[in-house]
Amino acid sequence: QQFESAIRDQLDMGESDDLPRPAQSEIDRIVGPDGTGVAEFKDFLIWNLTMSFYPQNKNTSKGDATLRKYAVERGIDLPYVEKVHGEFKKWDVDKDNALSKEEFTKCFRHLMNSKEDFDIPPERVERFWAEVDTNRNGTVDWEEFFMWYMRYFRISESAPDEFPASVVYRRLSQMRFCQG
């Protein structure tokens, strides 16, 4: 009973509120369906970690829940999805949930660690713009950006500190090699 009470407190739920199914399943697993088992502190910690990544968690903002669901559906680490979404939001200056060509160009130059506009030829920026704007509507939404970003900036477990520009250029050269 104390374990369930602690969980209800954590979820900010009253005694008469129905617990979310995953929360109730965890309670049943740990203390048994009849509530006679003993829950240790480590059980509560494990439950807390489990529920913190549950997409429908009542205490999760809608935006966080959407990112969590996005990560789970695609089998991608949540921190990676959050990192990419952070980049997207940072460059969406007008907050319309899409990157204009100008916003994308600034983002791309930043990701490539370009100090000056002339560091990256306009033709290269155009090539990437044509690639990222898959529906050709003149803006890049979150899904388009994420798929493009994953193609070139996927975090490598073997080289997590690798500079993104080197990853892009290496992958470009590999694509050219494979095509010709």
Side-chain angles (χ1 to χ4, degrees):
Q1 193 66 356
Q2 287 180 329
F3 184 62
E4 182 175 337
S5 197
I7 287 175
R8 287 183 177 283
D9 286 346
Q10 184 75 14
L11 293 174
D12 195 27
M13 298 181 78
E15 290 295 320
S16 61
D17 295 330
D18 288 334
L19 287 169
R21 191 173 321 161
Q24 188 62 57
S25 295
E26 279 299 295
I27 291 170
D28 293 346
R29 183 185 68 75
I30 294 167
V31 297
D34 60 359
T36 58
V38 176
E40 297 177 16
F41 182 68
K42 72 176 183 160
D43 295 318
F44 178 76
L45 288 178
I46 291 168
W47 174 86
N48 195 21
L49 283 171
T50 301
M51 290 307 295
S52 68
F53 289 101
Y54 178 64
Q56 284 75 33
N57 185 343
K58 173 178 169 176
N59 296 326
T60 303
S61 73
K62 185 176 180 181
D64 287 346
T66 300
L67 290 181
R68 287 178 181 175
K69 183 178 179 194
Y70 193 88
V72 168
E73 287 173 350
R74 287 157 183 80
I76 301 168
D77 291 336
L78 178 61
Y80 180 77
V81 172
E82 290 172 331
K83 177 184 186 282
V84 177
H85 192 259
E87 284 294 328
F88 180 81
K89 295 308 257 179
K90 178 168 65 173
W91 296 101
D92 180 19
V93 178
D94 58 7
K95 308 295 181 216
D96 63 351
N97 292 316
L99 299 181
S100 66
K101 188 174 184 180
E102 180 183 346
E103 290 168 331
F104 173 78
T105 300
K106 289 177 182 177
C107 173
F108 179 66
R109 290 184 190 285
H110 169 77
L111 291 171
M112 298 301 290
N113 204 31
S114 170
K115 304 287 186 237
E116 303 290 336
D117 286 352
F118 60 82
D119 285 349
I120 302 174
E123 304 81 37
R124 186 158 303 137
V125 175
E126 282 296 322
R127 177 183 175 275
F128 281 99
W129 174 253
E131 188 176 307
V132 71
D133 185 15
T134 57
N135 62 8
R136 307 288 183 254
N137 68 350
T139 63
V140 175
D141 64 23
W142 157 243
E143 178 78 19
E144 289 172 310
F145 182 78
F146 184 77
M147 298 312 284
W148 173 83
Y149 191 100
M150 255 187 36
R151 182 173 181 186
Y152 293 107
F153 301 101
R154 180 81 183 189
I155 297 171
S156 165
E157 290 180 16
S158 61
D161 298 326
E162 190 170 28
F163 186 59
S166 62
V167 174
V168 171
Y169 285 114
R170 186 178 62 251
R171 289 188 182 162
L172 282 174
S173 66
Q174 289 170 347
M175 281 189 255
R176 273 192 235 120
F177 180 75
C178 292
Q179 293 173 350

